[in-house]
Amino acid sequence: MAKNYLDTSSYFRIIDNPDINNFLEECDYLREPSDSEIEEIIREFSLIDYKDIELPNNIISIDSDSYEAAIRKELPYTCVGYVKVASSLLQKGQYIDVSANHFVDPFKMAKITRDREEIMAVLPCSNVSYKKQFSARDSFRLALEDFFDSIKVRSGGNEYTLKETLFWLCSLREKCDNEKIMLHKCPICGKEDIPLLNIKERQLCPYCGAYVYISDCLRIYEAIEESGGSNQAALGRLKVALKHIYLAHIIHTIKESNKDNYLSLFENMVLIVNGTLSIAGQPAWIHASMMKIIYDINQALRDKGKRPLCIIGLVGGGNIYNFMEMVKNKLKNSTIMCVTDNFRDRYINFNRVASSTTFGAETYYGQDFIYKSKKGRAFVFNLPYPFANKNNKEVFKNEKSKLEYYKDILPIAIKLIDEFDCDLVEGKIVPAVLSEKYTAISIEPGATVLDLLTKMNI
């Protein structure tokens, strides 16, 4: 049987190929901004001051991760999926005490960061049946519903489940209310607008009689492969959606269990999401519910003369972060820019046709900011849009990136970034690094352990 041998001469033949050279000459590509463009970019940045700002004491960070494990090596497409969400509480006063000296005591640091919660969804993927279901998709749906049922918080004598939070998010959509939500369609028969009540009992499709679940509103099951192949795509969608649902769960639980003083609790709190304030794919509708929830809470806080709830999405990569890395040496420290659609289309997203509505119209509930910290580090982060909805897209597009709309929340975010800047990781702050550490399945409990656990129990 003939063998193919590759040596360096093969690459020279590719380089010398005139067709390839002609093709490359016809290509245009993203380039570093010219000197005149750099001057324009610098003018987009503003100095920011936060001298009189007192940071909230309670800083909660949230992150998520996913992993897919094969049951046996010889059956690589028979898999179980894991999705983990972690939240950690870091109190500003305790952190400042620990970090006051040049050397940080690791034992004291471990003590002040022990307040955390971790939840894990274990889900059947390809070629796995859960509770005698007849398909991988139905197995996934039932296991996901069981997971949402199982996550409970007890406070003030009441119990709040993650499923109730999901119902709350869905109740803010069109055709839905506090008593009833409408599924896009039945996953079994495909009939549209299936009503579901806010009850604990399992419910049936009125057309085909099959079980339908509140968690079907996420439509993650649509990405499940029945046999063969990986379901990491579905797990990835769930990983992102669950992070934001958990953020909503924290807000919902605090609001419902502290009806008399929840505004005071929100005033003294920062919530940090590791990643953008956005959800893509089938669960993208959650972004609109989050916009309304955050807007209503912050309006109530402002009406009482209190500062708004600060929610930060910390962006650690992507086009906008890469752009900031490219130009940051030209910028002054402690300067910030609120990214407009026009700026994004011109400098960040190469050769992009401008959106007919606005960037992230169906996915984002937070505005992008670029910040060069007082230490000269690059940060990209989101703050929630200060609007209840995007119904008037043209007005929203023009208004969303005006700094004045964020004047009472932006200084909090900037001071937090400067005070909690992590020297070990560029573009990260200490609370986000902690949540990332606690969430990463490859670190804790470890992907190898999950592989062994899956094989031992199935």
Side-chain angles (χ1 to χ4, degrees):
M1 184 176 180
K3 293 184 179 180
N4 292 323
Y5 293 96
L6 294 176
D7 56 28
T8 54
S9 63
S10 301
Y11 301 108
F12 287 114
R13 285 195 294 273
I14 293 173
I15 294 171
D16 293 336
N17 187 317
D19 292 336
I20 294 175
N21 288 327
N22 291 336
F23 172 81
L24 294 174
E25 288 175 1
E26 292 296 324
C27 291
D28 196 9
Y29 54 90
L30 181 65
R31 301 174 185 270
E32 189 174 352
S34 65
D35 289 343
S36 61
E37 288 175 326
I38 286 291
E39 290 299 318
E40 290 182 18
I41 290 168
I42 290 172
R43 286 194 290 271
E44 296 283 346
F45 282 76
S46 307
L47 284 167
I48 187 163
D49 183 22
Y50 50 72
K51 289 179 182 177
D52 300 326
I53 293 294
E54 179 67 25
L55 285 178
N57 191 50
N58 299 310
I59 302 165
I60 299 173
S61 55
I62 304 167
D63 201 4
S64 60
D65 197 10
S66 63
Y67 183 75
E68 190 175 43
I71 292 174
R72 296 209 308 269
K73 186 180 292 186
E74 62 269 25
L75 295 172
Y77 300 124
T78 302
C79 304
V80 172
Y82 300 87
V83 178
K84 183 180 179 183
V85 179
S87 64
S88 61
L89 170 64
L90 184 63
Q91 294 189 313
K92 179 199 69 175
Q94 292 178 332
Y95 175 76
I96 290 173
D97 289 342
V98 170
S99 59
N101 298 320
H102 183 68
F103 296 102
V104 175
D105 186 331
F107 296 101
K108 289 183 179 179
M109 193 64 190
K111 185 177 180 180
I112 69 170
T113 58
R114 67 186 177 188
D115 292 327
R116 66 180 188 266
E117 183 176 34
E118 301 168 4
I119 61 174
M120 178 85 83
V122 184
L123 301 157
C125 291
S126 54
N127 298 304
V128 175
S129 173
Y130 174 70
K131 292 186 176 179
K132 308 300 182 183
Q133 297 298 298
F134 292 111
S135 69
R137 181 172 290 185
D138 287 345
S139 293
F140 186 93
R141 291 174 54 234
L142 177 56
L144 187 59
E145 185 77 356
D146 284 348
F147 166 73
F148 273 94
D149 261 332
S150 69
I151 304 303
K152 301 173 182 177
V153 175
R154 292 175 178 83
S155 179
N158 295 315
E159 185 177 84
Y160 306 93
T161 68
L162 195 62
K163 188 167 81 169
E164 288 173 323
T165 295
L166 183 59
F167 192 97
W168 178 51
L169 286 166
C170 202
S171 71
L172 300 174
R173 303 179 74 185
E174 290 184 7
K175 303 180 183 179
C176 303
D177 55 44
N178 291 333
E179 302 296 327
K180 181 182 66 178
I181 64 172
M182 304 294 285
L183 290 185
H184 167 67
K185 65 178 181 180
C186 171
I188 306 302
C189 69
K191 293 288 187 180
E192 296 182 353
D193 291 339
I194 306 300
L196 283 177
L197 303 177
N198 190 13
I199 57 177
K200 293 182 179 180
E201 293 78 15
R202 294 287 159 86
Q203 301 172 65
L204 303 175
C205 171
Y207 300 99
C208 68
Y211 282 111
V212 284
Y213 311 122
I214 288 173
S215 57
D216 285 337
C217 69
L218 298 173
R219 297 171 58 192
I220 303 290
Y221 65 85
E222 294 180 13
I224 292 293
E225 293 287 342
E226 285 294 342
S227 60
S230 170
N231 278 301
Q232 187 58 54
L235 297 175
R237 291 182 191 179
L238 180 60
K239 175 186 76 171
V240 174
L242 202 53
K243 179 166 52 178
H244 298 276
I245 295 168
Y246 194 78
L247 169 63
H249 190 52
I250 292 173
I251 294 171
H252 188 224
T253 302
I254 291 173
K255 189 172 182 289
E256 291 300 311
S257 60
N258 301 274
K259 293 185 183 294
D260 296 330
N261 67 333
Y262 73 90
L263 290 178
S264 297
L265 295 174
F266 284 141
E267 183 187 30
N268 197 32
M269 181 182 299
V270 176
L271 292 164
I272 300 169
V273 175
N274 222 342
T276 59
L277 299 183
S278 67
I279 307 103
Q282 285 87 346
W285 60 265
I286 294 172
H287 92 277
S289 297
M290 293 300 296
M291 269 189 74
K292 177 167 175 51
I293 288 165
I294 296 167
Y295 175 83
D296 288 346
I297 287 172
N298 282 339
Q299 280 300 106
L301 283 162
R302 291 183 177 106
D303 289 345
K304 295 289 186 180
K306 300 178 182 293
R307 64 183 171 193
L309 170 61
C310 183
I311 299 175
I312 303 171
L314 198 64
V315 185
N319 288 352
I320 191 168
Y321 185 83
N322 294 336
F323 167 80
M324 178 57 174
E325 281 289 303
M326 184 169 61
V327 302
K328 72 175 183 180
N329 291 335
K330 308 289 186 181
L331 305 172
K332 293 180 180 179
N333 291 0
S334 298
T335 57
I336 193 163
M337 183 183 71
C338 193
V339 181
T340 65
D341 283 8
N342 289 337
F343 186 92
R344 187 190 305 272
D345 292 338
R346 181 173 181 183
Y347 292 110
I348 298 172
N349 293 339
F350 172 71
N351 206 27
R352 177 187 173 91
V353 177
S355 170
S356 59
T357 54
T358 184
F359 174 81
E362 305 300 329
T363 55
Y364 272 70
Y365 63 97
Q367 168 63 35
D368 279 320
F369 291 85
I370 301 176
Y371 176 57
K372 185 174 181 182
S373 75
K374 65 180 182 181
K375 292 183 181 179
R377 296 177 182 272
F379 286 90
V380 178
F381 64 93
N382 298 160
L383 293 178
Y385 294 128
F387 308 104
N389 56 61
K390 306 176 186 175
N391 290 348
N392 189 328
K393 292 288 198 303
E394 193 59 40
V395 172
F396 175 79
K397 179 177 182 177
N398 293 326
E399 299 294 303
K400 69 172 184 176
S401 51
K402 291 183 178 179
L403 276 174
E404 58 261 34
Y405 285 114
Y406 305 90
K407 62 183 179 181
D408 56 356
I409 195 170
L410 187 56
I412 300 173
I414 293 302
K415 187 171 184 178
L416 186 85
I417 288 171
D418 280 337
E419 290 200 4
F420 288 86
D421 185 3
C422 181
D423 291 333
L424 298 177
V425 186
E426 181 78 14
K428 293 284 187 179
I429 57 178
V430 171
V433 171
L434 290 173
S435 66
E436 194 173 66
K437 170 191 171 185
Y438 299 141
T439 310
I441 291 177
S442 60
I443 297 174
E444 184 184 2
T448 302
V449 175
L450 291 180
D451 284 337
L452 292 171
L453 187 66
T454 302
K455 293 170 185 176
M456 289 169 59
N457 286 281
I458 298 183

